[in-house]
mmCIF file of all heavy atoms in Angstrom:
data_model
loop_
_atom_site.group_PDB
_atom_site.id
_atom_site.type_symbol
_atom_site.label_atom_id
_atom_site.label_comp_id
_atom_site.label_asym_id
_atom_site.label_seq_id
_atom_site.Cartn_x
_atom_site.Cartn_y
_atom_site.Cartn_z
ATOM 1 N N LYS P 2 -16.586 -100.961 67.812
ATOM 2 C CA LYS P 2 -16.205 -102.005 68.761
ATOM 3 C C LYS P 2 -15.528 -101.406 69.992
ATOM 4 O O LYS P 2 -15.748 -101.879 71.114
ATOM 5 C CB LYS P 2 -15.271 -103.010 68.080
ATOM 6 C CG LYS P 2 -15.972 -103.936 67.098
ATOM 7 C CD LYS P 2 -14.992 -104.969 66.560
ATOM 8 C CE LYS P 2 -15.717 -105.951 65.633
ATOM 9 N NZ LYS P 2 -14.788 -106.970 65.079
ATOM 10 N N ILE P 3 -14.715 -100.385 69.779
ATOM 11 C CA ILE P 3 -14.029 -99.739 70.900
ATOM 12 C C ILE P 3 -15.040 -99.082 71.830
ATOM 13 O O ILE P 3 -14.940 -99.172 73.060
ATOM 14 C CB ILE P 3 -13.006 -98.706 70.389
ATOM 15 C CG1 ILE P 3 -11.884 -99.404 69.619
ATOM 16 C CG2 ILE P 3 -12.436 -97.895 71.549
ATOM 17 C CD1 ILE P 3 -10.877 -98.471 69.008
ATOM 18 N N ILE P 4 -16.041 -98.407 71.236
ATOM 19 C CA ILE P 4 -17.077 -97.750 72.046
ATOM 20 C C ILE P 4 -17.844 -98.784 72.867
ATOM 21 O O ILE P 4 -18.106 -98.585 74.052
ATOM 22 C CB ILE P 4 -18.042 -96.953 71.131
ATOM 23 C CG1 ILE P 4 -17.300 -95.783 70.481
ATOM 24 C CG2 ILE P 4 -19.240 -96.449 71.942
ATOM 25 C CD1 ILE P 4 -18.119 -95.010 69.480
ATOM 26 N N ARG P 5 -18.181 -99.897 72.227
ATOM 27 C CA ARG P 5 -18.917 -100.949 72.942
ATOM 28 C C ARG P 5 -18.073 -101.544 74.069
ATOM 29 O O ARG P 5 -18.597 -101.883 75.132
ATOM 30 C CB ARG P 5 -19.348 -102.041 71.968
ATOM 31 C CG ARG P 5 -20.534 -101.628 71.092
ATOM 32 C CD ARG P 5 -20.895 -102.698 70.105
ATOM 33 N NE ARG P 5 -22.081 -102.320 69.346
ATOM 34 C CZ ARG P 5 -22.508 -102.951 68.259
ATOM 35 N NH1 ARG P 5 -21.843 -104.021 67.809
ATOM 36 N NH2 ARG P 5 -23.584 -102.552 67.623
ATOM 37 N N LEU P 6 -16.773 -101.688 73.833
ATOM 38 C CA LEU P 6 -15.889 -102.204 74.871
ATOM 39 C C LEU P 6 -15.842 -101.249 76.057
ATOM 40 O O LEU P 6 -15.911 -101.676 77.220
ATOM 41 C CB LEU P 6 -14.482 -102.415 74.308
ATOM 42 C CG LEU P 6 -13.423 -102.904 75.313
ATOM 43 C CD1 LEU P 6 -13.828 -104.255 75.905
ATOM 44 C CD2 LEU P 6 -12.049 -102.978 74.661
ATOM 45 N N ILE P 7 -15.746 -99.945 75.765
ATOM 46 C CA ILE P 7 -15.731 -98.942 76.833
ATOM 47 C C ILE P 7 -17.040 -98.987 77.626
ATOM 48 O O ILE P 7 -17.040 -98.953 78.865
ATOM 49 C CB ILE P 7 -15.499 -97.531 76.249
ATOM 50 C CG1 ILE P 7 -14.081 -97.429 75.673
ATOM 51 C CG2 ILE P 7 -15.714 -96.465 77.321
ATOM 52 C CD1 ILE P 7 -13.831 -96.155 74.897
ATOM 53 N N LEU P 8 -18.165 -99.103 76.905
ATOM 54 C CA LEU P 8 -19.472 -99.156 77.574
ATOM 55 C C LEU P 8 -19.611 -100.432 78.404
ATOM 56 O O LEU P 8 -20.217 -100.417 79.483
ATOM 57 C CB LEU P 8 -20.594 -99.061 76.543
ATOM 58 C CG LEU P 8 -20.734 -97.706 75.837
ATOM 59 C CD1 LEU P 8 -21.856 -97.761 74.807
ATOM 60 C CD2 LEU P 8 -21.007 -96.595 76.846
ATOM 61 N N LEU P 9 -19.054 -101.525 77.908
ATOM 62 C CA LEU P 9 -19.110 -102.772 78.662
ATOM 63 C C LEU P 9 -18.317 -102.658 79.965
ATOM 64 O O LEU P 9 -18.796 -103.073 81.035
ATOM 65 C CB LEU P 9 -18.559 -103.918 77.820
ATOM 66 C CG LEU P 9 -18.494 -105.298 78.514
ATOM 67 C CD1 LEU P 9 -19.877 -105.745 78.963
ATOM 68 C CD2 LEU P 9 -17.842 -106.322 77.595
ATOM 69 N N ILE P 10 -17.114 -102.084 79.875
ATOM 70 C CA ILE P 10 -16.300 -101.886 81.079
ATOM 71 C C ILE P 10 -17.022 -100.970 82.061
ATOM 72 O O ILE P 10 -17.044 -101.220 83.277
ATOM 73 C CB ILE P 10 -14.921 -101.303 80.691
ATOM 74 C CG1 ILE P 10 -14.123 -102.328 79.890
ATOM 75 C CG2 ILE P 10 -14.144 -100.890 81.951
ATOM 76 C CD1 ILE P 10 -12.839 -101.780 79.292
ATOM 77 N N LEU P 11 -17.644 -99.906 81.531
ATOM 78 C CA LEU P 11 -18.404 -98.986 82.380
ATOM 79 C C LEU P 11 -19.566 -99.703 83.056
ATOM 80 O O LEU P 11 -19.810 -99.526 84.265
ATOM 81 C CB LEU P 11 -18.926 -97.815 81.538
ATOM 82 C CG LEU P 11 -19.803 -96.783 82.264
ATOM 83 C CD1 LEU P 11 -19.020 -96.098 83.376
ATOM 84 C CD2 LEU P 11 -20.358 -95.758 81.271
ATOM 85 N N HIS P 12 -20.271 -100.536 82.295
ATOM 86 C CA HIS P 12 -21.435 -101.252 82.833
ATOM 87 C C HIS P 12 -21.018 -102.209 83.950
ATOM 88 O O HIS P 12 -21.665 -102.281 85.005
ATOM 89 C CB HIS P 12 -22.125 -102.025 81.702
ATOM 90 C CG HIS P 12 -23.567 -102.256 81.951
ATOM 91 N ND1 HIS P 12 -24.431 -102.731 80.989
ATOM 92 C CD2 HIS P 12 -24.336 -102.107 83.057
ATOM 93 C CE1 HIS P 12 -25.649 -102.843 81.482
ATOM 94 N NE2 HIS P 12 -25.616 -102.487 82.745
ATOM 95 N N VAL P 13 -19.943 -102.938 83.721
ATOM 96 C CA VAL P 13 -19.434 -103.863 84.743
ATOM 97 C C VAL P 13 -18.999 -103.091 85.986
ATOM 98 O O VAL P 13 -19.263 -103.503 87.125
ATOM 99 C CB VAL P 13 -18.267 -104.693 84.187
ATOM 100 C CG1 VAL P 13 -17.598 -105.503 85.295
ATOM 101 C CG2 VAL P 13 -18.753 -105.625 83.088
ATOM 102 N N GLY P 14 -18.353 -101.939 85.764
ATOM 103 C CA GLY P 14 -17.928 -101.108 86.893
ATOM 104 C C GLY P 14 -19.100 -100.630 87.724
ATOM 105 O O GLY P 14 -19.063 -100.671 88.965
ATOM 106 N N ILE P 15 -20.172 -100.172 87.054
ATOM 107 C CA ILE P 15 -21.374 -99.721 87.768
ATOM 108 C C ILE P 15 -21.986 -100.873 88.549
ATOM 109 O O ILE P 15 -22.428 -100.709 89.695
ATOM 110 C CB ILE P 15 -22.404 -99.122 86.774
ATOM 111 C CG1 ILE P 15 -21.876 -97.804 86.211
ATOM 112 C CG2 ILE P 15 -23.752 -98.911 87.460
ATOM 113 C CD1 ILE P 15 -22.755 -97.200 85.127
ATOM 114 N N PHE P 16 -22.006 -102.063 87.953
ATOM 115 C CA PHE P 16 -22.558 -103.231 88.645
ATOM 116 C C PHE P 16 -21.825 -103.486 89.956
ATOM 117 O O PHE P 16 -22.450 -103.693 91.007
ATOM 118 C CB PHE P 16 -22.468 -104.469 87.747
ATOM 119 C CG PHE P 16 -22.791 -105.743 88.462
ATOM 120 C CD1 PHE P 16 -24.101 -106.086 88.752
ATOM 121 C CD2 PHE P 16 -21.782 -106.610 88.869
ATOM 122 C CE1 PHE P 16 -24.403 -107.258 89.432
ATOM 123 C CE2 PHE P 16 -22.069 -107.782 89.543
ATOM 124 C CZ PHE P 16 -23.382 -108.112 89.825
ATOM 125 N N PHE P 17 -20.487 -103.450 89.915
ATOM 126 C CA PHE P 17 -19.723 -103.720 91.130
ATOM 127 C C PHE P 17 -19.885 -102.607 92.166
ATOM 128 O O PHE P 17 -19.874 -102.866 93.376
ATOM 129 C CB PHE P 17 -18.249 -103.950 90.791
ATOM 130 C CG PHE P 17 -17.967 -105.329 90.289
ATOM 131 C CD1 PHE P 17 -17.641 -105.555 88.958
ATOM 132 C CD2 PHE P 17 -18.056 -106.422 91.141
ATOM 133 C CE1 PHE P 17 -17.400 -106.837 88.494
ATOM 134 C CE2 PHE P 17 -17.821 -107.710 90.683
ATOM 135 C CZ PHE P 17 -17.491 -107.917 89.353
ATOM 136 N N LEU P 18 -20.072 -101.370 91.723
ATOM 137 C CA LEU P 18 -20.343 -100.281 92.668
ATOM 138 C C LEU P 18 -21.691 -100.500 93.358
ATOM 139 O O LEU P 18 -21.827 -100.289 94.570
ATOM 140 C CB LEU P 18 -20.332 -98.930 91.953
ATOM 141 C CG LEU P 18 -18.961 -98.428 91.476
ATOM 142 C CD1 LEU P 18 -19.124 -97.136 90.678
ATOM 143 C CD2 LEU P 18 -18.023 -98.200 92.655
ATOM 144 N N LEU P 19 -22.685 -100.947 92.592
ATOM 145 C CA LEU P 19 -23.999 -101.221 93.175
ATOM 146 C C LEU P 19 -23.931 -102.398 94.153
ATOM 147 O O LEU P 19 -24.585 -102.388 95.204
ATOM 148 C CB LEU P 19 -25.014 -101.510 92.069
ATOM 149 C CG LEU P 19 -25.436 -100.283 91.228
ATOM 150 C CD1 LEU P 19 -26.211 -100.716 89.990
ATOM 151 C CD2 LEU P 19 -26.268 -99.321 92.067
ATOM 152 N N VAL P 20 -23.154 -103.409 93.819
ATOM 153 C CA VAL P 20 -22.972 -104.541 94.739
ATOM 154 C C VAL P 20 -22.292 -104.056 96.017
ATOM 155 O O VAL P 20 -22.649 -104.472 97.135
ATOM 156 C CB VAL P 20 -22.143 -105.656 94.074
ATOM 157 C CG1 VAL P 20 -21.727 -106.705 95.104
ATOM 158 C CG2 VAL P 20 -22.952 -106.316 92.959
ATOM 159 N N GLY P 21 -21.300 -103.154 95.872
ATOM 160 C CA GLY P 21 -20.652 -102.577 97.048
ATOM 161 C C GLY P 21 -21.643 -101.881 97.955
ATOM 162 O O GLY P 21 -21.561 -101.972 99.186
ATOM 163 N N MET P 22 -22.619 -101.197 97.345
ATOM 164 C CA MET P 22 -23.662 -100.530 98.128
ATOM 165 C C MET P 22 -24.456 -101.539 98.952
ATOM 166 O O MET P 22 -24.801 -101.284 100.120
ATOM 167 C CB MET P 22 -24.588 -99.766 97.189
ATOM 168 C CG MET P 22 -25.760 -99.072 97.857
ATOM 169 S SD MET P 22 -27.147 -98.858 96.717
ATOM 170 C CE MET P 22 -27.664 -100.564 96.464
#
Side-chain angles (χ1 to χ4, degrees):
K2 286 185 177 180
I3 295 176
I4 293 175
R5 285 177 176 168
L6 178 60
I7 293 171
L8 291 178
L9 177 59
I10 293 172
L11 177 62
H12 206 169
V13 172
I15 291 175
F16 170 77
F17 280 109
L18 289 175
L19 288 168
V20 169
M22 177 206 68

